[in-house]
Amino acid sequence: MIDQNLIARFQPYRPTNSLFLSFEGIEGSGKTTQIQRLKASLEELGLNVTLMREPGGTPFGEKMREAILTSEEKISPVAEACLMAASRAQLLEQRIIPLLEEKDNIVIVDRYIDSSLAYQGSARGLGAQSVLEIHNRHPLTIVPSLTFYLKIDLETSMKRQDHRGSKKDYFEKENSQFYTKLIEGYDHACSIFTERFQVIDGKKTQDEVSSDILSAAQKLIKG
Ligand code: TYD
């Protein structure tokens, strides 16, 4: 069981007149396409949207990203978790917080803390409590207003990855057991942060997925 006081530290961030959204999913879930589509739809409504990715999103964070994803050497799970958190802290201070405080901005991040819960917490075995403890200091306690989790099963992920056929990075080289644990990790994160998570069926058609996402985002904007 995770300490409830620790969980309570991670309240969805709802700054006035700004919105902080994240996208999560395993490889092949369609995140990248859906993020682009949501950005286009929100811009059509006249809103300012900024996209960012993790790890990365700042010059220093991109160096960390490159170092992790091209690593030929096994990285210690604790080091992995700390590097992801370091990149996140840098992104928060340098870009996310200033944009959200400026008002009238929508920030969308491609992966955030829930990737750390799924990849480092579950798949690498650190546990959710340890990952949250690493984040238990400002600004890392800042979490999005809404997180879209594009949920697909293992078979769909494997099939879509085969179709891509591009060179595999550090995490894409992992086996199906790793992906099974990732899915469990995301399910666990959903059960911890029920209010923040919006689970989207990633097996639906691209248009159906886009419309599910847009309607949830609009509800939040109007609400
Ligand atoms: P990326 O190419 O962006 O993956 P995808 O296109 O699937 O989003 O690579 C980012 C990788 O980093 C991805 O495999 C997940 C991993 N990751 C973690 O392990 N922990 C984290 O906290 C984050 C943000 C990413």
Side-chain angles (χ1 to χ4, degrees), residues 23-32 35 53-56 65 68-69 80-81 83-85 87-88 110-121 123-124 131 135 164 169-173 178-179 182 186:
F23 274 72
E24 295 285 351
I26 61 173
E27 259 76 24
S29 59
K31 269 185 305 103
T32 312
I35 289 172
R53 67 173 180 185
E54 282 205 351
R65 177 188 177 89
I68 300 164
L69 296 186
E80 224 177 81
L83 285 166
M84 297 296 176
S87 166
R88 187 162 301 135
D110 184 345
R111 299 192 177 282
Y112 195 70
I113 191 169
D114 307 294
S115 283
S116 292
L117 288 167
Y119 283 75
Q120 284 68 50
R124 295 287 192 230
V131 171
H135 289 77
R164 279 184 190 161
D169 71 28
Y170 185 69
F171 292 100
E172 289 162 353
K173 287 179 192 151
F178 182 86
Y179 283 90
L182 279 184
Y186 273 126

Side-chain angles (χ1 to χ4, degrees), residues 105-192:
N105 278 302
I106 299 181
V107 172
I108 304 179
V109 275
D110 184 345
R111 299 192 177 282
Y112 195 70
I113 191 169
D114 307 294
S115 283
S116 292
L117 288 167
Y119 283 75
Q120 284 68 50
S122 178
R124 295 287 192 230
L126 284 184
Q129 171 101 19
S130 300
V131 171
L132 291 180
E133 278 166 1
I134 290 171
H135 289 77
N136 190 16
R137 68 209 71 221
H138 184 77
L140 287 168
T141 49
I142 292 179
V143 293
S145 331
L146 196 65
T147 295
F148 294 106
Y149 170 40
L150 273 51
K151 187 169 175 161
I152 54 167
D153 54 34
L154 179 65
E155 293 71 39
T156 309
S157 172
M158 293 296 164
K159 239 187 263 165
R160 290 183 182 172
Q161 284 187 56
D162 283 348
H163 276 289
R164 279 184 190 161
S166 50
K167 195 167 176 283
K168 293 192 182 309
D169 71 28
Y170 185 69
F171 292 100
E172 289 162 353
K173 287 179 192 151
E174 292 291 347
N175 59 20
S176 60
Q177 204 189 345
F178 182 86
Y179 283 90
T180 303
K181 286 199 203 141
L182 279 184
I183 295 169
E184 286 169 10
Y186 273 126
D187 286 343
H188 189 207
C190 286
S191 73
I192 301 172

Side-chain angles (χ1 to χ4, degrees), residues 70-121:
T70 60
S71 180
E72 298 284 341
E73 181 186 343
K74 191 99 198 106
I75 308 171
S76 126
V78 174
E80 224 177 81
C82 291
L83 285 166
M84 297 296 176
S87 166
R88 187 162 301 135
Q90 187 69 16
L91 185 63
L92 277 160
E93 296 220 353
Q94 206 170 318
R95 296 190 67 203
I96 299 178
I97 297 171
L99 273 174
L100 294 177
E101 285 183 350
E102 195 183 280
K103 301 197 190 316
D104 299 321
N105 278 302
I106 299 181
V107 172
I108 304 179
V109 275
D110 184 345
R111 299 192 177 282
Y112 195 70
I113 191 169
D114 307 294
S115 283
S116 292
L117 288 167
Y119 283 75
Q120 284 68 50

